């Protein structure tokens, strides 16, 4: 009873920040993302009747699992599948972990896909079957989106979440250039930060109030393949989320001077006619989304920004899959 799966991180263009239900890890709002083909997580799950608890080996090191998200996710998976065995989970990222590059999204998408594969649950059911999207979500609110390739939409309903692909990589080819500004782990996790924002930011209610309109408009721009409209809206949505972060108490300042320099570079490229826009999550890395023909120009421009540690670039990736 073992299987391995690959999943790619994703970056939201219309973001979620805040939970409707903290215990269930239910996001307050829906989100829309692109899956990053250039980064990958590979995870193996092996169920074993002899184990007395789950074991996680991440990037070659065993991790403490008391009250962890992984244990909660595996418990939810066992409740859903009827399997009562613990598992050894071995996971490797080919990019910095916990540094604002969505390693938890790809990690939990790969975990659910490998666990389903180990029990012979088919890939189609793993993506659409009852509860598996919710099991991934218990691990990370953004993980269901990494089950899908290209552009994905996560919707929040009263009882749970649903997720689907809006466009396959070949249907609307886009590229993402990541400017890595530091390889260190972030101080404040998304999970803690967003709850603090919900409790203390005076802008939180406005952020939630506008969100459905942003999501509906973005779905329309994807359907129309309207890059320029999606660019304007995505940057606006990102900056609204960061306004909430910055006005949280204590303040969540995820940007470094290099983050801002990259954002300004991207704004000036677009003013010169290069089809590119920025987005930034709960960390200092900058993701530039562009049309594939512009990728080399964007890579060169961000490479020249002082303080950029390295560049990772590629086209949109496929959804999580058993290998
Ligand atoms: O649930 P998490 O920890 O993956 O939080 C994701 C938060 C953001 O990346 C900032 C936004 C998003 O929608 O991905």
């Amino acid at each position: 009873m073992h299987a391995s799966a690959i999943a790619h991180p994703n970056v939201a263009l219309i973001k979620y920040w805040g939970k409707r239900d903290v215990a269930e890890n239910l996001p307050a709002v829906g989100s829309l993302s692109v899956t990053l083909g250039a980064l990958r997580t590979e995870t193996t799950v092996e169920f074993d009747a002899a184990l007395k608890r789950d074991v996680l080996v991440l990037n070659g090191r065993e991790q403490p699992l008391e009250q962890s998200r992984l244990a909660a996710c595996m418990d939810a998976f066992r409740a859903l599948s009827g399997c009562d065995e613990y598992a050894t989970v071995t996971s490797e990222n080919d990019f910095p972990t916990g540094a604002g590059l969505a390693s938890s999204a790809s990690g939990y998408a790969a975990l659910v896909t490998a666990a389903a594969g180990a029990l012979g649950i088919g890939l189609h059911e793993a993506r659409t079957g009852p509860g598996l999207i919710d099991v991934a979500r218990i691990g990370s609110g953004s993980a269901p989106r990494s089950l899908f390739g290209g552009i994905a939409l996560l919707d929040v309903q009263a009882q749970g979440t649903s997720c689907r692909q809006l466009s396959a990589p070949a249907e609307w080819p886009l590229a993402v250039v990541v400017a890595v500004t530091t390889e260190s782990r972030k101080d404040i996790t998304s999970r803690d930060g967003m709850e603090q924002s919900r409790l203390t930011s005076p802008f939180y209610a406005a952020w939630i109030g506008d969100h459905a309109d942003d999501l509906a408009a973005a779905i329309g721009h994807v359907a129309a393949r309207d890059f320029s409209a999606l660019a304007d809206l995505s940057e606006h949505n990102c900056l609204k989320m960061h306004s909430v972060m910055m006005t949280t108490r204590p303040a969540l300042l995820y940007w470094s001077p290099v983050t801002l320099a990259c954002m300004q570079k991207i704004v000036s490229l677009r003013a010169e006619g290069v089809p590119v826009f920025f987005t930034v999550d709960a960390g200092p890395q900058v993701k530039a989304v562009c049309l594939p023909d512009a990728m080399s120009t964007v890579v060169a421009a961000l490479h020249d920004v002082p303080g950029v540690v390295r560049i990772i670039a590629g086209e949109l990736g496929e959804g999580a899959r058993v290998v």
Side-chain angles (χ1 to χ4, degrees):
M1 294 219 293
H2 64 94
S4 300
I6 283 177
H8 304 288
N10 70 76
V11 56
L13 307 184
I14 303 299
K15 302 187 184 285
Y16 99 89
W17 188 254
K19 298 280 158 70
R20 178 178 298 177
D21 183 324
V22 174
E24 287 290 312
N25 204 29
L26 191 63
V29 289
S31 50
L32 182 150
S33 63
V34 290
T35 300
L36 309 186
L39 308 173
R40 66 160 62 188
T41 298
E42 183 163 350
T43 299
T44 300
V45 174
E46 179 157 20
F47 290 97
D48 181 348
L51 287 175
K52 299 276 182 284
R53 58 177 181 87
D54 293 313
V55 176
L56 170 63
V57 181
L58 177 60
N59 298 325
R61 286 196 177 176
E62 187 171 342
Q63 307 290 315
L65 281 189
E66 292 79 36
Q67 299 175 333
S68 78
R69 290 198 270 163
L70 183 115
C73 187
M74 289 302 292
D75 285 345
F77 184 83
R78 277 185 283 270
L80 184 75
S81 65
C83 168
D84 58 3
E85 294 182 9
Y86 291 105
T88 301
V89 177
T90 311
S91 192
E92 298 279 339
N93 295 322
D94 71 356
F95 59 96
T97 300
L101 290 173
S103 54
S104 62
S106 54
Y108 284 102
L111 173 75
V112 167
T113 304
L119 297 186
I121 301 171
L123 201 55
H124 182 70
E125 294 118 271
R127 290 195 180 126
T128 58
L132 272 166
I133 282 176
D134 291 306
V135 173
R137 188 203 75 225
I138 286 169
S140 163
S142 52
R145 302 186 312 230
S146 276
L147 295 171
F148 298 90
I151 303 181
L153 174 70
L154 191 145
D155 258 328
V156 182
Q157 288 99 20
Q159 295 304 322
T161 39
S162 65
C163 199
R164 66 189 165 91
Q165 185 178 60
L166 287 183
S167 136
E171 286 172 327
W172 193 15
L174 297 173
V176 182
V177 179
V178 182
V180 179
T181 62
T182 172
E183 311 233 358
S184 330
R185 280 182 163 266
K186 57 189 168 198
D187 300 332
I188 304 151
T189 64
S190 308
R191 187 170 290 219
D192 294 342
M194 65 177 74
E195 183 58 2
Q196 209 49 35
S197 293
R198 185 180 73 80
L199 295 171
T200 64
S201 170
F203 297 164
Y204 185 78
W207 158 248
I208 299 297
D210 270 4
H211 203 277
D213 292 346
D214 282 6
L215 198 56
I219 293 167
H221 300 331
V222 171
R225 310 281 186 262
D226 187 338
F227 185 87
S228 167
L230 187 64
D232 286 343
L233 180 59
S234 300
E235 289 186 352
H236 177 66
N237 186 268
C238 168
L239 293 173
K240 274 197 292 195
M241 179 182 76
H242 282 276
S243 317
V244 173
M245 292 164 160
M246 288 174 187
T247 49
T248 296
R249 290 184 154 180
L252 298 168
L253 295 171
Y254 284 113
W255 301 353
S256 74
V258 188
T259 311
L260 190 57
C262 290
M263 291 161 75
Q264 286 174 326
K265 173 58 78 179
I266 292 164
V267 168
S268 62
L269 283 174
R270 194 139 67 92
E272 289 160 18
V274 179
V276 60
F277 63 90
F278 68 75
T279 191
V280 182
D281 293 296
Q285 329 294 10
V286 178
K287 292 100 178 185
V289 181
C290 61
L291 294 179
D293 286 351
M295 187 164 84
S296 55
T297 305
V298 175
V299 168
L302 290 177
H303 191 264
D304 284 350
V305 174
V308 169
V309 177
R310 66 172 159 135
I311 301 281
I312 304 167
E315 304 205 345
L316 301 193
E318 299 292 341
R321 60 230 179 244
V322 171
V323 288

